């Protein structure tokens, strides 16, 4: 009889621990969602300020006073390809 009661208490304790773990997991998920929702303005600002590859290439190329031809030769492509990248006509 005592062994059965002891086993019942063990199972009750296990259910309690599992329940607490699920509640803790739920709290963590809610906190993460709140943080994600609050970060929306930051994500929008980051998306707006994101530059295309062509814009980055052009900025660095002009800062370092390199020609499109020099960049093209260095990358093994044509000058026209670099021009298309910088103007946003082609992404490949």
């Amino acid at each position: 009889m005592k062994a059965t009661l002891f086993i019942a208490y063990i199972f009750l304790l296990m259910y309690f621990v599992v329940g607490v773990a699920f509640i803790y997991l739920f709290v963590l998920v809610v906190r993460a969602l709140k943080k994600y929702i609050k970060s929306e303005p930051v994500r929008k600002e980051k998306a707006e300020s994101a530059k295309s590859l062509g814009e980055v290439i052009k900025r660095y190329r002009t800062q370092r006073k390199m020609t499109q031809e020099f960049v093209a030769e260095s990358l093994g492509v044509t000058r026209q390809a670099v021009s298309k990248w910088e103007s946003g006509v082609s992404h490949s």
Side-chain angles (χ1 to χ4, degrees), residues 13-78:
L13 181 63
M14 283 182 6
Y15 284 125
F16 176 74
V17 169
V18 169
V20 169
F22 277 116
I23 290 171
Y24 182 68
L25 181 63
F26 179 76
V27 168
L28 289 178
V29 169
V30 168
R31 285 182 183 171
L33 285 172
K34 286 171 81 175
K35 187 175 182 178
Y36 178 78
I37 291 169
K38 286 182 182 179
S39 71
E40 184 177 6
V42 174
R43 287 183 281 121
K44 283 184 178 180
E45 181 182 336
K46 189 173 183 178
E48 289 172 359
S49 67
K51 294 184 176 19
S52 70
L53 178 61
E55 291 170 332
V56 173
I57 290 172
K58 185 174 185 174
R59 189 180 78 217
Y60 282 112
R61 179 182 65 78
T62 54
Q63 284 178 349
R64 287 155 179 80
K65 296 182 177 34
M66 291 189 268
T67 63
Q68 286 181 343
E69 192 170 331
F70 178 79
V71 173
E73 287 176 10
S74 299
L75 295 175
V77 297
T78 64

